[in-house]
Amino acid sequence: MAVQLRKLDEQVVVITGATNGIGLTTARTAAEGGAKLVLAARSADALDQLASELRRTGTQVATVAADVGKAEDVARIGQTAMQRFGRIDTWINNAGVSIFGRSEDIPIADMQRLFQTNYWGVVNGSLEAVKHMKTRGGGAIINLGSELSDHSIPLQGIYAASKHAVKAFTDSLRMELEKDKAPISVTLVKPAGIDTMFVPHAKNFMDREPALPKPVYAPELVAKSILYAAQHPKRDVFVGGAAKALSATNFALPGLLERYLRATMFKQQQSKSPSAPNRRDALYAPNPHHELRQRQGMDTHVIETCPYTATSLHSNKILPLLVGGAALFGAWKLTHRPRSAF
């Protein structure tokens, strides 16, 4: 069954993790496009401020203070959407957090908490969306994976594991819905490194402050990709040519990629600044000082446009394969160093 999705200005859009980073950027972009919004995050105060901002522009907004790791909280998001607007057209499972450090240094309780948000939050949101969409004309479920959905790196192993799990669940759900001929599009979005509050929100078990490896892209690129998928069924979307290149290299040359990552990622994920002894993160609770910020404001160059992502979104099925081949060649050039470099 062909899935027919509404135009953005006709949609009711649910966004989790809506008060900073990609979620906040997507909420503001969707509001500009005329969508009705149901915004969820853990901070009620930040949600109220955001809702007031968007209502001043004429946007219809409902908010739900919720922890996506709790199924009962996610059920309240769905109930609020139905009570306020009568349907859900797009559900965006965006909430997520990371942990930096060697796997042997991270307490199991912290790993489990990360999975509650990153994985179970996606499961809870997806199943709630399916429950409402199946009986009301369908819609789009958009899950935020990562470039680390397809490969891993040292020092963020548990985060990568959660994003692998998100990919597996998303792919399985898509196949099941297609078997049922349900009019629901299921998309996995896999961004490269993005200039958001990702690093300040992450819990850190390293001696130095975490850093995001280059290249780093603008959150607006992710928001635009998400909202394109909300209107045009897409299986998956890589945001950033680097994400596609690394995924393609992992598929074709996994050993070579691991050698490259082993040689570079330990240094690239640690800044020169020592980790503060009183450092706050957002693993267990929101940090009010980091709310309502789309970007961290990184010292490194942030890429504002991405020809690969634009091409893969708007072209037919053949051209992305050609562009992907070019990305693979670029990745090979990037990783092909003399043996001594590894």
Side-chain angles (χ1 to χ4, degrees):
M1 175 184 290
V3 178
Q4 299 295 324
L5 302 176
R6 298 172 184 263
K7 295 180 180 179
L8 186 60
D9 60 4
E10 300 172 349
Q11 286 203 25
V12 176
V13 178
V14 173
I15 306 173
T16 69
T19 54
N20 59 72
I22 291 170
L24 176 59
T25 308
T26 304
R28 286 171 169 161
T29 306
E32 291 173 1
K36 300 178 179 67
L37 300 178
V38 181
L39 306 179
R42 290 177 295 179
S43 173
D45 290 342
L47 284 169
D48 288 344
Q49 293 180 54
L50 178 57
S52 295
E53 170 198 323
L54 298 178
R55 286 169 184 150
R56 286 194 293 270
T57 67
T59 303
Q60 297 184 52
V61 185
T63 63
V64 185
D67 182 337
V68 296
K70 300 177 180 178
E72 61 272 22
D73 280 16
V74 175
R76 287 194 293 105
I77 300 172
Q79 292 164 5
T80 299
M82 299 307 298
Q83 291 169 1
R84 178 69 184 275
F85 299 116
R87 68 173 193 274
I88 299 167
D89 299 299
T90 294
W91 187 300
I92 302 164
N93 289 304
N94 163 74
V97 67
S98 190
I99 300 174
F100 285 82
R102 292 176 179 266
S103 297
E104 61 194 284
D105 295 334
I106 301 171
I108 293 296
D110 287 350
M111 294 184 180
Q112 291 172 335
R113 173 60 194 183
L114 180 146
F115 255 77
Q116 279 299 122
T117 299
N118 292 14
Y119 175 69
W120 287 108
V122 168
V123 172
N124 292 335
S126 297
L127 296 180
E128 183 69 16
V130 168
K131 181 175 70 175
H132 296 293
M133 290 177 179
K134 261 192 167 182
T135 59
R136 291 175 175 83
I141 297 171
I142 301 173
N143 294 338
L144 265 291
S146 165
E147 62 181 348
L148 299 184
S149 294
D150 292 345
H151 67 90
S152 195
I153 56 173
L155 303 181
Q156 283 196 83
I158 192 63
Y159 175 78
S162 73
K163 294 302 184 178
H164 275 60
V166 165
K167 179 184 185 300
F169 171 78
T170 301
D171 291 348
S172 178
L173 178 65
R174 182 189 303 110
M175 289 185 282
E176 292 166 0
L177 292 172
E178 289 173 348
K179 177 67 173 177
D180 291 345
K181 294 182 169 49
I184 300 173
S185 170
V186 180
T187 302
L188 182 67
V189 177
K190 295 185 276 191
I194 307 297
D195 182 14
T196 65
M197 301 306 292
F198 179 88
V199 169
H201 279 175
K203 192 162 186 176
N204 184 34
F205 288 91
M206 303 186 299
D207 293 334
R208 288 185 285 175
E209 276 295 303
L212 204 59
K214 300 176 183 178
V216 177
Y217 296 83
E220 288 80 3
L221 294 174
V222 189
K224 291 175 182 178
S225 298
I226 290 170
L227 295 177
Y228 184 88
Q231 301 169 83
H232 308 88
K234 301 287 291 185
R235 183 184 185 278
D236 52 27
V237 177
F238 288 94
V239 182
K244 178 62 178 180
L246 288 171
S247 177
T249 304
N250 183 67
F251 178 79
L253 303 165
L256 178 61
L257 180 63
E258 284 191 1
R259 291 169 62 194
Y260 169 72
L261 296 175
R262 186 178 67 238
T264 60
M265 286 296 106
F266 286 93
K267 181 178 181 180
Q268 289 189 29
Q269 293 184 92
Q270 298 183 70
S271 73
K272 296 180 180 179
S273 303
S275 185
N278 59 346
R279 186 182 191 276
R280 295 185 62 180
D281 57 71
L283 182 61
Y284 288 93
N287 186 335
H289 300 294
H290 294 163
E291 296 290 355
L292 301 181
R293 291 181 58 181
Q294 292 182 193
R295 303 194 186 198
Q296 177 185 349
M298 305 180 70
D299 294 335
T300 188
H301 172 68
V302 175
I303 299 171
E304 302 289 339
T305 60
C306 179
Y308 167 77
T309 299
T311 300
S312 67
L313 285 174
H314 295 91
S315 65
N316 59 28
K317 294 181 179 179
I318 300 301
L319 190 54
L321 293 177
L322 299 177
V323 179
L328 175 58
F329 176 74
W332 179 84
K333 294 288 288 183
L334 176 67
T335 59
H336 190 65
R337 298 284 188 271
R339 185 174 297 273
S340 59
F342 298 100

